[in-house]
Amino acid sequence: MTSSLDDLPLRDDLRGLTPYGAPQAPLPIALNVNENTHPVPDEVASDILDDIAVALRDVNRYPDREFTALREGFAEYLGHGLEASQIWAGNGSNEVLQHILQAFAGPGRTVFSFVPTYSMYPLLAQGTGARWVAGRREPDYTLTADEAVAQIEQVDPDVVLLCAPNNPTGTPLGLDVVEAVYEATRGVVVVDEAYQEFAPHDAPSALTLLDGRPRLAVSRTMSKAFAFAGARVGYLAADPSFIDALRLVRLPYHLSALTQAAASAALRNADVMLGMVEEIVAQRDRISATLEALGYTPHDSWSNFVLFGGVADPKRTWQELYDRGVLIRDVGIPGHLRVTAGTEAETTAFLDALASIGSES
Ligand SMILES: *Cc1c(COP(=O)(O)O)cnc(C)c1O
């Protein structure tokens, strides 16, 4: 017997919503969800496996609820004088963001961001019963401090989510905007730096603003630069009191002993794990240059992907690439598609496939 969702006593505020659903198709060239497409190097994989094997022997016991060793590892990796008491982690930064919204959003509260931005923000907000309000960006997707402040004063949100660099556009965000937004709101401000490792090396992180700003949090993930998407590890840095708020809503032992072991070992090998970042950035810039030569309009990107306009029929181009074994992303922006920078070979396959479509239509 099967029933439909409409027949169930679902929460009224969840009726009509659609779940996150980036296609997971087994195509040879998958450049649709901004993963690092380089596999974990063999020597690092066996180092991680050794630590997982040790953790497995104690897996009859609950793990360290405070994931102390891992928090120390993240504090050291992030630098800026951060301490373990300022670090939080979860099963992907999606869970970290969910913890923030469970603690600071919820029914009767408002979550605000500037669209187009990460498609999970409205879903995470609505999942906690909060109201989602979408602000505007400039036509080139940038955001000025004055414009951001004007919108925030109008909405008076409880949580502001700032994606920097922004997904799906790749747009950088000035720290002056973060500072101005923080001053303009009584709510918490989250800077989602999922792609920070792909930004220019001299581009300052919002981590530099944490001191003296207890309502500010900076989230990161191991899913992108770290080539660890399948392990599900995200983290954030904030004031220790902010971390205390997250303890109220997390499930006990939410980070498994195996996850903690794997993430700590991967962090210990950060140099090797991040060794492909320069190569990915080079492929990103090659994509932008080639797209421009093909007559498309790529947007400036500080991430590991490129959003490009000038696509007459995105659905059709997406399908024609799909039929050639190349999976990219239709993010729903008219005239645009988004592609992740892959290995040199994957990037070539995408660019060749796109060029061949162009010449046929
Ligand atoms: C990919 C991505 C994340 C990371 O999600 P995980 O749950 O850590 O895999 C977070 N924020 C943005 C903007 C992203 O694009």
Side-chain angles (χ1 to χ4, degrees), residues 311-341:
V311 187
D313 186 347
K315 282 201 168 51
R316 183 170 151 214
T317 301
W318 183 89
Q319 186 64 50
E320 292 193 279
L321 288 169
Y322 187 102
D323 295 342
R324 287 163 174 75
V326 180
L327 184 60
I328 69 167
R329 190 80 177 271
D330 181 354
V331 292
I333 301 177
H336 287 71
L337 288 168
R338 190 194 70 189
V339 63
T340 307

Side-chain angles (χ1 to χ4, degrees), residues 7-340:
D7 303 328
L8 294 174
L10 185 70
R11 271 166 44 190
D12 290 335
D13 60 328
L14 294 182
R15 288 195 185 278
L17 298 185
T18 27
Y20 177 85
Q24 282 198 302
L27 294 196
I29 312 290
L31 302 174
N32 65 327
V33 286
N34 301 340
E35 295 148 334
N36 182 334
T37 67
H38 299 259
V40 174
D42 279 341
E43 69 271 26
V44 177
S46 48
D47 198 31
I48 295 171
L49 211 48
D50 287 348
D51 284 24
I52 293 177
V54 173
L56 195 61
R57 296 191 191 285
D58 287 327
V59 92
N60 56 310
R61 299 289 184 181
Y62 281 115
D64 174 9
R65 203 167 47 215
E66 290 290 317
F67 42 101
T68 314
L70 181 58
R71 287 160 74 209
E72 283 164 358
F74 281 131
E76 193 186 322
Y77 168 69
L78 289 176
H80 295 94
L82 289 165
E83 294 181 8
S85 62
Q86 295 171 273
I87 304 292
W88 188 247
N91 295 283
S93 58
N94 271 275
E95 188 182 48
V96 170
L97 294 171
Q98 187 176 51
H99 287 162
I100 296 174
L101 297 176
Q102 285 177 311
F104 296 104
R109 294 199 162 203
T110 300
V111 179
F112 180 81
S113 188
F114 300 92
V115 300
T117 191
Y118 188 38
S119 63
M120 278 307 298
Y121 295 159
L123 292 176
L124 289 165
Q126 286 155 350
T128 73
R131 189 170 72 110
W132 161 254
V133 178
R136 301 170 308 275
R137 293 171 177 271
E138 302 294 318
D140 65 355
Y141 306 123
T142 57
L143 200 55
T144 65
D146 287 349
E147 184 54 35
V149 165
Q151 293 184 48
I152 278 167
E153 283 174 348
Q154 210 174 9
V155 176
D156 187 26
D158 298 280
V159 179
V160 181
L161 301 171
L162 300 173
C163 193
N166 186 50
N167 181 11
T169 63
T171 319
L173 182 76
L175 290 191
D176 61 314
V177 181
V178 180
E179 286 183 270
V181 165
Y182 187 88
E183 290 311 317
T185 182
R186 55 175 180 81
V188 302
V189 177
V190 183
V191 183
D192 181 348
E193 293 190 344
Y195 299 97
Q196 181 67 23
E197 285 93 348
F198 300 103
H201 295 306
D202 56 357
S205 156
L207 291 169
T208 59
L209 301 178
L210 282 176
D211 210 22
R213 291 185 178 87
R215 292 178 289 112
L216 179 66
V218 181
S219 74
R220 297 276 187 103
T221 180
M222 296 186 85
S223 295
K224 308 291 158 62
F226 257 98
F228 225 45
R232 310 304 300 125
V233 187
Y235 54 106
L236 68 67
D239 189 83
S241 61
F242 195 106
I243 308 296
D244 282 338
L246 306 181
R247 285 192 178 90
L248 298 173
V249 296
R250 62 97 175 273
L251 296 173
Y253 318 110
H254 68 286
L255 270 185
S256 88
L258 305 182
T259 301
Q260 292 184 40
S264 288
L267 266 183
R268 201 171 57 226
N269 289 278
D271 288 356
V272 184
M273 294 290 277
L274 294 171
M276 286 298 147
V277 165
E278 298 306 319
E279 164 67 13
I280 293 164
V281 166
Q283 295 307 317
R284 173 197 74 199
D285 293 344
R286 176 178 163 230
I287 290 173
S288 296
T290 311
L291 286 174
E292 203 160 337
L294 289 172
Y296 295 99
T297 50
H299 292 270
D300 273 350
S301 174
W302 278 16
S303 60
N304 67 340
F305 57 83
V306 178
L307 178 77
F308 57 102
V311 187
D313 186 347
K315 282 201 168 51
R316 183 170 151 214
T317 301
W318 183 89
Q319 186 64 50
E320 292 193 279
L321 288 169
Y322 187 102
D323 295 342
R324 287 163 174 75
V326 180
L327 184 60
I328 69 167
R329 190 80 177 271
D330 181 354
V331 292
I333 301 177
H336 287 71
L337 288 168
R338 190 194 70 189
V339 63
T340 307

